[in-house]
């Protein structure tokens, strides 16, 4: 926390995390769901066929969010519906509604921006907020505020920080809904603010005021309790004989860099409660790295015509978003997951079972034309598909750059094609997705765009 | 003409045009009473409001409670029409 010129910069960072967000919002909207175990699903999924329901006792989609009450039964995000019902037979399944959640997120962002412009949207239900702090000379003693040994901004008394946090919670209840709760963690960097928030759920408020407290907290936790250390890294650390943060602190920086390269610096720092990650304010444009869509089919299928229609729709959605952002891309990635039942044999499933599938990517000339993206996707699909039934398919495009004015084409067809696409976009923008669509897609079901939970490509206008 | 779809055990998704008495206050719109199947239903609480879009059409959705029942009303801004879109009653 000491900058290079000898001045000390003290930060006060809040991490606000909504509890069981989608489920809580549904319970806020419909009081009849409050206090009950509910699971929110992907949304406009069609129910499984009667045979599939009979064999597995449930729909094909997964739980996107489980309520606090459902979590007590062991229901988790990502679980299949039938798995959730096995754990909690009385669970109510609620179709997800992405418009509702996005609108609610916008409301709470509008509240938070009243406290500071340094607001980073980490995901649809998590936000970092940095309260503006001061830079003070390194030789100016730390004035202790009401929180003993606090290294938070001395101009901000401990009571002030708590008052800000309590004010945020109160405003969420009064301006958004009384059922909606959040956990707030407060500390001197992002890593510890997020960790503090995770320590008390639901409706928590935890402060980690200084490095001494941070180390005390870290030493009680598993390595993967910290954001940035996942099961894979934990496993690798365990293989080195490191099972907790105390042991991690005993490893030298050289050893950690040897085994983990530049990531070793992160491990060295986090074991000591150190993290210099800046806040990325919502108003700063972040580069979009890829755009993609996926869809889980209403029934397992190996019907080529059906799969073709599905891929045409997905590639059209991807292309529309490219054009809306004035981007073009060149690396097309297509992937899919096979059905659970392969060649008549039932896979051994366990809770949180893994899908099997395949994927590949190809690079084509820069494009934002759905048909060109489809052609590449179709080629990939035929290359890697073995003919078995599939249940989920996805398409994405990466290697993006800004669209530049096209040179005048010697081929009049290219100019006409571009005009047609522009006209179709204008009509679909006004009257809804797929108002105008390719003839082959007539009669296919609706496919709505669902928000990326991490809001990778959606900027909020406040 | 509305359509009916059962989306939960007790929840009905319908899209029936309804008449609504509305308050306009503090730059917001608040449905107060609506009329459905010969019944006059007074809204006791608006629990959540959100918007959606279809092309350039904007819709306001009001998740409401009355007498322990749940109703969701939809206001089509472009066509200035109200619909009862979801019902869950005892």
């Amino acid at each position: 926390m000491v900058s290079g010129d000898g001045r000390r910069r003290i930060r006060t960072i809040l991490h606000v995390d909504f509890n069981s967000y989608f489920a809580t919002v549904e319970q806020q909207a419909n009081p009849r769901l409050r206090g009950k175990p509910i699971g929110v699903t992907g949304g406009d999924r069609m129910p499984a066929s009667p045979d599939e329901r009979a064999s597995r006792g449930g729909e094909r989609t997964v739980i996107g969010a489980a309520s606090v009450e459902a979590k007590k039964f062991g229901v988790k995000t990502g679980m299949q519906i039938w798995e959730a019902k096995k754990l909690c037979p009385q669970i109510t399944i609620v179709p997800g509604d992405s418009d509702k959640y996005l609108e609610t997120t916008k409301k709470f962002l509008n509240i938070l921006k009243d406290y500071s412009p340094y607001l980073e949207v980490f995901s649809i239900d998590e936000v970092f907020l940095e309260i503006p702090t001061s830079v003070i000379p390194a030789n100016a003693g730390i004035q202790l505020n009401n929180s003993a040994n606090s290294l938070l901004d001395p101009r901000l008394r401990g009571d002030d920080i708590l008052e800000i946090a309590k004010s945020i919670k109160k405003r969420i209840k009064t301006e958004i809904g009384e059922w909606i709760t959040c956990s707030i963690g407060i500390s001197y960097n992002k890593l510890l603010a997020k960790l503090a928030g995770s320590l008390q759920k639901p409706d928590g408020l935890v402060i980690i005021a200084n490095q001494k407290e941070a180390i005390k907290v870290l030493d009680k936790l598993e390595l993967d309790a910290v954001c940035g250390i996942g099961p894979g890294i934990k496993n690798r650390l365990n293989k080195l004989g490191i099972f907790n943060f105390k042991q991690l602190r005993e490893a030298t920086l050289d050893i950690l860099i040897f085994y983990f390269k530049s990531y070793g610096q992160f491990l060295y720092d986090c074991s000591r409660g150190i993290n210099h990650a800046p806040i990325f304010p919502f108003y700063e444009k972040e580069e979009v790295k890829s755009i993609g869509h996926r869809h889980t089919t209403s029934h397992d299928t190996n019907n080529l015509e059906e799969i073709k229609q599905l891929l045409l729709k997905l590639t059209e959605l991807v292309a529309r978003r490219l054009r809306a952002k004035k981007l073009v891309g060149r690396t097309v990635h297509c992937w899919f997951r096979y059905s659970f039942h392969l060649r008549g044999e039932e896979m051994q499933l366990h809770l949180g079972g893994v899908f099997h599938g395949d994927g590949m990517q190809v690079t084509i000339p820069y494009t934002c034309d759905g048909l060109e993206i489809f052609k590449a996707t179709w080629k990939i699909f035929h290359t890697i598909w073995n003919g078995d039934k599939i249940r989920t398919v996805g398409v994405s495009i990466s290697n993006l750059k800004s669209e530049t004015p096209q040179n005048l084409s010697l081929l009049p067809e290219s100019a006409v094609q571009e005009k047609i696409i522009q006209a179709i976009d204008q009509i679909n923008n006004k009257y809804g997705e797929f108002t105008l669509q390719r003839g082959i897609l007539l009669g296919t079901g609706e496919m709505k765009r669902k928000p990326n939970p991490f809001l990778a490509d959606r900027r909020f206008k406040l | 003409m509305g359509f009916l779809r059962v989306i939960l055990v007790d929840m009905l998704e319908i899209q029936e045009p309804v008449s609504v008495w509305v308050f306009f206050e503090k730059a917001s719109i608040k449905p107060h009473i609506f009329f459905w199947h010969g019944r006059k239903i007074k809204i006791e609480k608006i629990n959540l409001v959100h918007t959606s879009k279809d092309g350039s059409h904007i819709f306001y959705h009001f998740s409401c409670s009355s007498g322990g029942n749940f109703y969701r009303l939809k206001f089509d801004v472009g066509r200035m029409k109200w619909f009862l879109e979801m019902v869950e009653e005892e």
Side-chain angles (χ1 to χ4, degrees):
Chain A
M1 286 181 288
V2 179
S3 61
D5 59 1
R7 293 183 297 168
R8 188 192 298 269
R9 181 168 175 263
I10 297 169
R11 305 171 77 189
T12 303
I13 296 180
L14 277 66
H15 176 257
V16 183
D17 181 359
F18 285 85
N19 308 129
S20 303
Y21 186 51
F22 294 175
T24 308
V25 172
E26 292 297 340
Q27 289 172 320
Q28 171 60 43
N30 183 354
R32 292 166 65 92
L33 297 175
R34 294 179 191 179
K36 292 181 182 164
I38 73 165
V40 179
T41 65
D44 50 341
R45 302 271 189 253
M46 297 295 288
S49 66
D51 287 341
E52 285 169 330
R53 272 203 296 268
S55 68
R56 290 209 305 276
E59 287 81 2
R60 338 165 18 85
T61 186
V62 297
I63 299 283
S67 67
V68 168
E69 299 82 6
K71 284 177 182 172
K72 288 178 184 164
F73 288 87
V75 177
K76 289 180 186 170
T77 299
M79 207 172 254
Q80 294 280 308
I81 300 288
W82 62 269
E83 289 173 313
K85 284 185 176 175
K86 208 170 160 184
L87 289 171
C88 179
Q90 68 272 39
I91 193 169
T92 300
I93 303 301
V94 180
D97 184 341
S98 52
D99 292 320
K100 202 185 284 173
Y101 314 137
L102 280 169
E103 182 96 12
T104 307
T105 296
K106 280 187 193 174
K107 285 179 185 170
F108 91 73
L109 292 178
N110 270 323
I111 292 172
L112 292 178
K113 77 177 177 63
D114 285 349
Y115 297 90
S116 170
Y118 305 112
L119 171 65
E120 177 181 332
V121 182
F122 190 67
S123 73
I124 196 168
D125 64 348
E126 283 180 74
V127 166
F128 287 102
L129 186 72
E130 182 160 4
I131 306 297
T133 58
S134 59
V135 176
I136 61 172
N139 58 4
I142 299 297
Q143 294 172 23
L144 296 181
N145 56 28
N146 290 345
S147 298
N149 301 319
S150 174
L151 283 179
L152 300 173
D153 188 338
R155 290 180 318 154
L156 274 177
R157 297 181 307 133
D159 286 350
D160 291 340
I161 301 159
L162 278 176
E163 282 312 305
I164 289 172
K166 285 176 186 174
S167 165
I168 289 170
K169 280 173 173 275
K170 191 178 172 191
R171 285 187 63 185
I172 285 168
K173 280 195 177 298
T174 51
E175 294 175 38
I176 303 177
E178 69 280 5
W179 194 255
I180 295 182
T181 59
C182 64
S183 291
I184 298 182
I186 304 173
S187 193
Y188 55 91
N189 63 45
K190 281 169 70 174
L191 183 86
L192 292 174
K194 186 164 162 60
L195 181 64
S198 70
L199 296 177
Q200 193 178 65
K201 288 188 176 195
D203 201 16
L205 178 53
V206 176
I207 301 180
I208 298 177
N210 56 43
Q211 197 168 18
K212 194 173 163 190
E213 280 183 32
I215 287 172
K216 261 193 218 166
V217 169
L218 286 167
D219 285 354
K220 290 178 191 164
L221 299 172
E222 295 287 328
L223 288 168
D224 57 356
V226 159
C227 181
I229 300 180
I233 296 289
K234 180 184 175 182
N235 202 29
R236 286 171 64 187
L237 286 167
N238 290 165
K239 284 181 178 163
L240 295 173
I242 297 171
F243 294 91
N244 54 52
F245 283 100
K246 185 170 183 295
Q247 289 168 334
L248 185 54
R249 280 195 300 280
E250 288 163 5
T252 63
L253 180 59
D254 288 339
I255 293 276
L256 291 172
I257 288 178
F258 176 79
Y259 281 104
F260 297 95
K261 305 284 184 282
S262 58
Y263 187 72
Q265 181 72 61
F266 168 81
L267 292 172
Y268 182 85
D269 287 346
C270 88
S271 67
R272 290 161 174 76
I274 297 170
N275 180 263
H276 302 294
I279 292 284
F280 292 104
F282 67 92
Y283 49 79
E284 280 182 10
K285 196 173 172 180
E286 199 179 316
E287 194 187 327
V288 176
K289 296 208 168 63
S290 73
I291 289 176
H293 275 283
R294 62 188 285 176
H295 185 77
T296 297
T297 55
S298 58
H299 54 276
D300 299 339
T301 181
N302 58 357
N303 181 303
L304 259 186
E305 202 53 37
E306 255 185 83
I307 295 170
K308 188 178 186 183
Q309 286 178 342
L310 179 53
L311 286 173
L312 270 168
K313 260 198 160 146
L314 289 173
T315 49
E316 204 53 53
L317 282 172
V318 168
R320 285 259 294 151
R321 282 170 63 197
L322 277 172
R323 293 193 295 268
K325 292 180 188 309
K326 301 200 187 316
L327 294 170
V328 290
R330 57 193 295 226
T331 301
V332 176
H333 182 220
C334 174
W335 61 270
F336 56 85
R337 296 287 179 265
Y338 288 111
S339 156
F340 277 128
H341 303 279
L342 299 181
R343 294 193 177 89
E345 294 167 5
E346 188 146 5
M347 284 178 64
Q348 286 295 322
L349 293 173
H350 55 276
L351 290 177
V354 177
F355 295 102
H356 284 252
D358 212 339
M360 197 174 109
Q361 61 187 41
V362 294
T363 299
I364 59 175
Y366 278 107
T367 186
C368 58
D369 183 339
L371 191 58
E372 294 305 313
I373 299 171
F374 168 75
K375 284 176 187 169
T377 304
W378 198 228
K379 203 171 165 183
I380 293 171
F381 187 79
H382 276 292
T383 305
I384 57 178
W385 182 50
N386 67 8
D388 281 333
K389 288 187 176 182
I390 64 167
R391 59 177 281 130
T392 303
V393 67
V395 177
S396 67
I397 189 164
S398 57
N399 251 322
L400 307 179
K401 69 171 188 177
S402 292
E403 197 180 34
T404 51
Q406 298 298 315
N407 291 329
L408 282 175
S409 172
L410 293 175
L411 296 171
E413 292 84 2
S414 300
V416 167
Q417 178 71 4
E418 215 172 291
K419 281 202 161 67
I420 290 172
I421 290 174
Q422 280 173 11
I424 292 173
D425 277 350
Q426 278 179 17
I427 289 167
N428 288 338
N429 283 343
K430 183 160 183 179
Y431 295 103
E433 292 288 354
F434 297 110
T435 297
L436 272 189
Q437 57 185 318
R438 299 185 191 281
I440 193 173
L441 295 177
L442 287 174
T444 57
E446 194 190 347
M447 184 187 290
K448 281 174 79 170
R449 185 187 162 198
K450 303 200 181 38
N452 176 345
F454 291 92
L455 296 167
D457 69 338
R458 188 173 291 214
R459 311 308 305 170
F460 283 106
K461 296 188 181 73
L462 296 182
Chain B
M1 189 74 177
F3 71 90
L4 185 72
R5 182 161 79 103
V6 179
I7 54 173
L8 292 176
V9 174
D10 300 316
M11 172 83 76
L12 295 178
E13 185 178 318
I14 60 178
Q15 292 287 341
E16 282 187 31
V18 290
S19 296
V20 183
W21 290 357
V22 173
F23 279 124
F24 286 87
E25 55 182 26
K26 291 179 189 172
S28 71
I29 176 172
K30 287 184 181 170
H32 178 55
I33 288 172
F34 69 95
F35 299 84
W36 182 53
H37 289 182
R39 293 157 58 194
K40 180 179 170 184
I41 300 170
K42 182 170 183 274
I43 291 164
E44 288 165 11
K45 193 164 183 294
I46 300 171
N47 298 301
L48 195 74
V49 183
H50 73 277
T51 57
S52 66
K53 284 180 83 170
D54 185 16
S56 60
H57 285 289
I58 296 175
F59 304 96
Y60 280 82
H61 305 269
F62 299 86
S63 296
C64 311
S65 301
S66 177
N69 300 320
F70 167 76
Y71 306 94
R72 196 164 101 177
L73 291 164
K74 180 174 85 175
F75 180 56
D76 180 339
V77 176
R79 299 184 185 97
M80 299 283 280
K81 277 187 172 176
W82 283 91
F83 297 87
L84 178 62
E85 56 175 352
M86 282 185 196
V87 175
E88 189 184 327
E89 292 183 320
E90 295 288 346

